[in-house]
Amino acid sequence: MTDKINELLRRVEEFKPKAAAEIEEFRIKILGKKGELNALMEDFKTVAPELKRELGQQLNRLKNEATTRINALREEWQNAAAENAASEDDLTRPGTAEHLGSRHPISLVKNQIVEVFSRLGYTVADGPEIEDDWHVFSALNFPPEHPARDMQDTFFIEKDPDILLRTHTSSIQVRTMERQKPPIRVICPGRVFRNEAISYRAHCIFHQIEGLYIDEGVSFADMKQSLLYFAKEIFGEQTRIRMRPSYFPFTEPSAEVDVSCNLCGGKGCPVCKGTGWLEIMGCGMVDPNVLKANDIDPEKYSGFAFGMGIERVAMLKYGVKDLRLYFENDVRFLHQFDEAL
Ligand code: PHE
């Protein structure tokens, strides 16, 4: 009898239904009224009393195992059926629309600025984000004691020789001058890094776009006219610009460029702090020392350079009040630019 019980146990363990109906068939065959277990129960009545205890336990075990196994199989097949039903395509239902992403506002504005300058004959130049001292500072006429060379202001990766994260995209202009002889007309967009506390108006990572134009007889008037054209294209035809004297190590003379406030039209509002003007970029005539450092004859050639923060242009263009929004990638912010441009 033990052999019979074990044989049944083995069949229960090895049972693999190929359809849900087979489970019920199997149950009736084993556990049903006229099933094999009940047949064994009949036999059990006639066994010798001294064997009853042992065989009784074996029969109980068989009953439990068979019940558990059948219940588990039933559940398994029900779950699979539910899943199949859910994934079955109903071809009569309307389709789900593919969700399209949108361009990041920084990319939108960058592309627009590049496009404006490409109409003036500028091509795009690129360069590495990890730079050396020469391309970020020395070739651009930064004096040795300039604060930008300090750990407070710049992220250094190594000291002596200095390897650092570029603090402005002017380094791309140096790399362009190394590669190319005048005439040079390049626009250099890129990510830059400064050791600044993060707030609504400053971030340690941001984007710049800088331009460089070197040729024979390039004048300050050329620069002013190019920048006015740029301002009108980006902020609207009515936009005016003004220049204020400033200082950069790599340009002489240097200026800060303001555009008339596009929100109040120059009358004065909270965005322009009542002045009617918004500061937008730095610019200047390339310092002869920079030309010399890059093997360009300052007697023959002159040029101008300008640089601006893309975040700032985008803030003014779209009325974004907190610079940190650009880096958080919150889709509620980003989707507002779906239709932009
Ligand atoms: N490199 C300057 C900056 O990062 C911007 C600039 C570029 C100014 C070219 C003048 C000329 O602030």
Side-chain angles (χ1 to χ4, degrees), residues 61-72:
R61 187 167 152 242
L62 172 63
K63 190 176 175 184
N64 286 341
E65 299 244 327
T67 315
T68 322
R69 171 105 179 108
I70 284 168
N71 285 344

Side-chain angles (χ1 to χ4, degrees), residues 168 170 194 208 210 248 250-251 282-284 305-307:
H168 53 182
S170 308
R194 290 184 194 177
Q208 275 193 332
E210 298 209 0
F248 299 102
F250 34 89
T251 47
C283 68
F306 53 89

Side-chain angles (χ1 to χ4, degrees), residues 44-254:
F44 179 68
K45 288 181 185 159
T46 61
V47 299
E50 64 274 21
L51 295 174
K52 281 221 161 162
R53 195 182 140 84
E54 162 99 45
L55 285 173
Q57 279 174 358
Q58 287 182 8
L59 279 170
N60 262 341
R61 187 167 152 242
L62 172 63
K63 190 176 175 184
N64 286 341
E65 299 244 327
T67 315
T68 322
R69 171 105 179 108
I70 284 168
N71 285 344
L73 282 170
R74 263 193 203 149
E75 202 172 313
E76 204 175 284
W77 278 76
Q78 263 166 15
N79 286 347
E83 244 169 58
N84 276 345
S87 70
E88 220 160 74
D89 286 331
D90 177 355
L91 298 178
T92 62
R93 293 180 62 197
T96 32
E98 227 18 90
H99 182 75
L100 281 184
S102 53
R103 278 212 192 284
H104 195 281
I106 297 299
S107 300
L108 288 174
V109 171
K110 182 195 84 178
N111 291 346
Q112 212 194 2
I113 298 173
V114 166
E115 213 263 316
V116 169
F117 281 102
S118 69
R119 272 183 250 148
L120 296 178
Y122 288 74
T123 53
V124 174
D126 202 0
E129 292 178 346
I130 298 174
E131 270 290 9
D132 50 25
D133 173 277
W134 172 258
H135 291 94
V136 178
F137 299 131
S138 295
L140 288 162
N141 200 35
F142 276 77
E145 71 283 2
H146 194 282
R149 291 174 178 253
D150 200 284
M151 304 273 274
Q152 299 287 311
D153 292 293
T154 299
F155 292 114
F156 284 88
I157 295 171
E158 275 172 36
K159 275 283 199 187
D160 286 325
D162 288 351
I163 304 294
L164 45 102
L165 296 179
R166 68 181 178 201
T167 58
H168 53 182
T169 46
S170 308
S171 53
I172 306 175
Q173 308 180 5
V174 176
R175 289 191 177 271
T176 307
M177 287 187 272
E178 276 171 1
R179 274 199 310 266
Q180 199 182 322
K181 291 295 138 211
I184 293 174
R185 222 181 286 177
V186 285
I187 190 102
C188 318
R191 224 162 33 147
V192 300
F193 308 84
R194 290 184 194 177
N195 195 356
E196 305 229 18
I198 296 170
S199 74
Y200 74 96
R201 55 191 303 243
H203 209 288
C204 56
I205 303 176
F206 60 101
H207 298 78
Q208 275 193 332
I209 193 155
E210 298 209 0
L212 176 70
Y213 183 8
I214 300 177
D215 203 348
E216 287 179 45
V218 176
S219 71
F220 199 98
D222 294 330
M223 174 167 76
K224 194 171 173 193
Q225 207 53 35
S226 305
L227 297 182
L228 177 63
Y229 173 74
F230 154 80
K232 284 177 183 284
E233 289 296 304
I234 297 290
F235 294 106
E237 186 49 40
Q238 72 298 338
T239 310
R240 288 161 298 129
I241 62 168
R242 73 174 183 186
M243 287 176 162
R244 288 175 289 113
S246 185
Y247 172 78
F248 299 102
F250 34 89
T251 47
E252 181 59 36
S254 307

